[in-house]
Amino acid sequence: MTKKWWSKFFFLIAVTMISVLYILPTFTKLGSNEKSAYPFSKKINLGLDLQGGLYLVMGVDFNKVFKEIADRQLGSITERFKDKSIPLTAPAIKVEGVPQDDPRLAFGFAAPQKQAVKDLLAKEFPNLRITDEKNDSIELGLSNEFHNDIREKTLNQSIEVIRNRIDEFGVSEPQISSQGTDRVVVELPGIKDVDRAKDLIGRTAKLEFKIVDETAMAGTNVMQLVADLEKEKNIKFGPGSDLKFSDYVKALNEAAKGKIPDGSEIAFEGKTDKNSNQRAPILLKSKAEVTGNDLQDAQVTFNQETRRPEVAFELNAKGAVSFEKLTGDNIGKRLAIVLDGVVHSAPNINSKIGARGVITNGRGGYDEAIKESKDLAIVLRAGALPAQLELMEQRVVGPSLGADSVAKGAFASLIGILAVFALTAFYYRVAGMIAVASLLMNVVLVLAILVWLEATLTLPGIAGIALTVGIAVDSNVVIYERIREELGLGKKIHAAVEAGFGKAFKTILDANVANGIAAIILMIYGSGPVKGFAVTMIVGIVTTIFTAVFVCRVLFDLYLKKMEDKNATTLSI
């Protein structure tokens, strides 16, 4: 065998070993213990249809959201026109006789000031459109672009709040996504307490601004204190504990009385690692001087000088007064932004801030700073625009149904795969056994990549794996039939095999690219099980090309070497 072949063979062995090691935790208890020395701990996540749980569709009442936005816009217009010495008369929100999702802002003014009113509206309120006007009054509606922007932001905010709540609830691997323009789909695999989960998700967000207790933190190792309290009082959150996160924090603070200053509390920042329950503890002043009720809006903007992303926010009149005093009294300290009891950010206070302020964050790369700023803006809007979610649909999948689905789905897929293996080996003999080996490698690679991607395996996903084997064997059929044709033309074994693999490659690539395009379309426009099927198919297409062209060829070259040693003149194909 050549040096090049040995390099390919050892690469194949290495890929196989790593893939097998990667998927072992899914089928065994290896890596399940935090103290385990096993290098891999990720497992394939089972979807709702495989392990049971709760499926919810939550609707957002956008009619109410649009009316609240219109109220805020009318308040801003009234204040701004007052600053410009243009008094308005009878400002009101009109909901009668207009579409429910298109409330109108109506107000009057002195007739000679009509042009000044229109100019100021065009300059400072571009998100509004004029729907009706007279000499001494005007009626406005939200622009179409503003409507779409509100829908997108509200859905993102709702998803962020739900994710934060479910994370606190301790549910593993939730699936949360938008559906259409006004719904959020929540899948909670393994959940048992349905009523508690629905109550947790349905609450509006609670946003608070609290000062970080820097003085107390300077003399206290908060992380060590938390560890000591957990050990001393046997307080635990995470695997093996029935405590939800809020109860865990409450128990810690009860135990910490006398060990931290009065008026302070232990809080936790967001997860430091999405694969664990580790959170960084932090000491905060207990009193929240400003809450999400005082916040009107938050947007990602860019600093004019540095071009770095930052978050600009706006407070109402009451909030502006409170925030100005809070920031003025605590310049140089950190201000924690707390959503549902979890600290999402704690920027420094550099100056007194009134009705409008800017939060600069993200010291990492540009992409990281953009993501951090967008996430923070969503968190802030979760308090600035609380949207009550309404339960539209609920399905509870029992664990017995999930187990039954797993058993039947796995059995059907196994039968299908074994049938393909048996037929291939029977029809192509020794070459068929080589194809079976490459197909087995294909399945192992698909599972390993699913673990690596942290993808969720659903029942359609299992069907996708079975279909992948069927598609993969087609590639072997194309290669083998081409080899048979070349042998029929009188070519020698080596030349026939070379031509078979070489000429079949383009056909294999074309077929798999076509399948890949279809799978990508399903992944983009599908949802739930359809998307799971598409992800499995895309992964399977990539591994199929690798195993059919590379793995099968390496093993076939080994077979040819054995044939040469026996001076054989025919192939078992």
Side-chain angles (χ1 to χ4, degrees):
M1 305 302 291
T2 64
K3 184 177 180 181
K4 185 178 180 181
W5 182 88
W6 281 109
S7 298
K8 292 181 179 179
F9 181 73
F10 284 125
F11 174 73
L12 175 58
I13 294 298
V15 170
T16 304
M17 290 180 63
I18 292 173
S19 299
V20 171
L21 291 174
Y22 221 55
I23 64 176
L24 277 178
T26 298
F27 302 100
T28 67
K29 293 183 179 181
L30 288 173
S32 59
N33 193 326
E34 293 182 0
K35 297 181 180 179
S36 173
Y38 195 75
F40 304 112
S41 59
K42 291 182 180 178
K43 299 182 179 181
I44 295 179
N45 305 314
L46 297 182
L48 190 70
D49 55 352
L50 296 184
Q51 64 168 312
L54 181 63
Y55 176 91
L56 300 172
V57 177
M58 312 295 292
V60 180
D61 185 358
F62 275 105
N63 294 337
K64 181 180 178 182
V65 171
F66 290 136
K67 185 177 182 301
E68 289 178 353
I69 293 292
D71 276 331
R72 292 176 185 172
Q73 291 288 320
L74 186 60
S76 298
I77 288 173
T78 304
E79 291 182 11
R80 188 63 181 137
F81 275 60
K82 184 178 180 181
D83 292 340
K84 292 291 185 178
S85 300
I86 304 177
L88 302 181
T89 58
I93 298 296
K94 180 181 176 182
V95 293
E96 298 293 335
V98 298
Q100 286 188 318
D101 63 347
D102 191 17
R104 305 295 166 79
L105 296 72
F107 53 85
F109 45 80
Q113 294 183 311
K114 179 178 179 180
Q115 191 58 46
V117 169
K118 293 180 67 174
D119 290 342
L120 188 59
L121 287 173
K123 180 181 179 181
E124 299 195 16
F125 298 91
N127 289 329
L128 302 176
R129 74 186 197 280
I130 297 176
T131 57
D132 188 26
E133 59 178 298
K134 297 178 181 177
N135 286 333
D136 59 352
S137 64
I138 200 166
E139 184 180 278
L140 306 170
L142 308 181
S143 69
N144 292 332
E145 293 80 6
F146 197 27
H147 263 94
N148 295 334
D149 189 47
I150 291 170
R151 284 185 181 277
E152 181 182 355
K153 288 177 179 177
T154 303
L155 281 177
N156 289 337
Q157 163 206 318
S158 300
I159 290 172
E160 173 67 22
V161 172
I162 292 172
R163 194 180 306 281
N164 197 72
R165 298 276 173 78
I166 292 171
D167 186 39
E168 189 261 10
F169 192 52
V171 177
S172 176
E173 302 301 335
Q175 299 294 314
I176 309 165
S177 60
S178 60
Q179 184 183 77
T181 59
D182 61 352
R183 296 188 180 188
V184 178
V185 177
V186 184
E187 296 184 22
L188 306 179
I191 194 69
K192 296 179 181 178
D193 195 339
V194 176
D195 291 335
R196 183 160 150 248
K198 286 161 53 180
D199 176 66
L200 187 71
I201 293 170
R203 296 199 312 261
T204 51
K206 182 182 180 183
L207 181 71
E208 299 173 305
F209 294 87
K210 296 183 177 182
I211 296 297
V212 178
D213 197 344
E214 304 280 7
T215 306
M217 286 186 66
T220 305
N221 187 329
V222 185
M223 188 170 291
Q224 185 60 50
L225 174 62
V226 168
D228 292 342
L229 291 173
E230 286 181 337
K231 185 176 180 181
E232 178 184 338
K233 302 294 184 179
N234 193 26
I235 304 171
K236 184 181 179 183
F237 172 73
S241 172
D242 293 331
L243 278 180
K244 64 179 183 178
F245 185 68
S246 56
D247 291 337
Y248 161 78
V249 175
K250 183 178 179 180
L252 271 182
N253 279 289
E254 284 292 327
K257 286 183 177 179
K259 298 182 179 180
I260 59 175
D262 292 338
S264 294
E265 65 181 9
I266 299 173
F268 289 83
E269 298 184 75
K271 284 186 179 182
T272 56
D273 182 353
K274 66 179 181 179
N275 295 318
S276 73
N277 286 307
Q278 293 298 315
R279 300 171 185 264
I282 186 172
L283 274 182
L284 305 178
K285 295 290 187 180
S286 303
K287 188 176 180 181
E289 302 288 349
V290 182
T291 68
N293 294 328
D294 303 315
L295 197 64
Q296 287 191 321
D297 197 12
Q299 304 283 346
V300 176
T301 59
F302 293 87
N303 187 285
Q304 294 292 331
E305 296 179 1
T306 65
R307 301 306 302 165
R308 295 281 291 179
E310 54 191 20
V311 179
F313 61 91
E314 183 178 350
L315 298 160
N316 59 25
K318 173 180 172 295
V321 173
S322 301
F323 206 66
E324 186 172 9
K325 183 177 187 310
L326 177 69
T327 54
D329 293 343
N330 293 280
I331 293 176
K333 296 181 180 180
R334 286 191 294 160
L335 180 68
I337 300 168
V338 188
L339 177 64
D340 285 340
V342 177
V343 179
H344 282 261
S345 183
N348 286 318
I349 302 173
N350 296 322
S351 61
K352 183 187 294 186
I353 302 173
R356 293 178 176 85
V358 171
I359 299 173
T360 304
N361 54 24
R363 298 181 181 179
Y366 183 80
D367 291 341
E368 182 182 349
I370 279 283
K371 182 180 182 301
E372 185 178 347
S373 296
K374 286 182 177 178
D375 290 346
L376 181 57
I378 290 173
V379 169
L380 289 173
R381 287 197 299 269
L385 185 63
Q388 182 70 42
L389 298 173
E390 300 176 2
L391 182 63
M392 309 293 290
E393 181 183 350
Q394 170 187 325
R395 291 204 305 267
V396 180
V397 182
S400 59
L401 177 58
D404 186 55
S405 298
V406 173
K408 289 183 178 179
F411 180 73
S413 299
L414 182 62
I415 292 298
I417 291 172
L418 289 178
V420 170
F421 287 176
L423 183 59
T424 304
F426 173 77
Y427 191 74
Y428 290 109
R429 305 174 207 175
V430 174
M433 295 301 296
I434 293 174
V436 168
S438 70
L439 293 173
L440 284 172
M441 178 66 182
N442 197 348
V443 174
V444 171
L445 280 175
V446 168
L447 294 176
I449 293 175
L450 289 177
V451 174
W452 176 61
L453 293 175
E454 299 184 24
T456 299
L457 184 63
T458 61
L459 196 57
I462 293 176
I465 293 176
L467 184 58
T468 294
V469 174
I471 294 174
V473 80
D474 283 346
S475 301
N476 293 108
V477 169
V478 171
I479 294 171
Y480 289 171
E481 289 302 317
R482 189 69 197 190
I483 291 175
R484 281 180 167 183
E485 289 178 9
E486 297 296 328
L487 289 172
L489 294 174
K491 288 188 178 181
K492 292 183 179 181
I493 293 176
H494 267 288
V497 170
E498 190 70 32
F501 275 94
K503 294 180 179 180
F505 175 73
K506 185 177 180 180
T507 303
I508 294 170
L509 184 62
D510 287 347
N512 281 284
V513 167
N515 289 333
I517 292 172
I520 289 171
I521 293 173
L522 286 176
M523 186 176 71
I524 294 174
Y525 295 103
S527 61
V530 175
K531 185 171 290 188
F533 173 80
V535 169
T536 306
M537 281 295 299
I538 292 171
V539 172
I541 287 166
V542 173
T543 58
T544 291
I545 295 175
F546 174 74
T547 54
V549 176
F550 179 81
V551 176
C552 192
R553 182 58 191 272
V554 170
L555 297 179
F556 217 97
D557 285 345
L558 179 61
Y559 169 52
L560 290 180
K561 175 61 178 173
K562 298 295 184 183
M563 296 294 291
E564 286 180 359
D565 293 342
K566 296 178 180 179
N567 296 317
T569 57
T570 59
L571 283 177
S572 178
I573 194 172

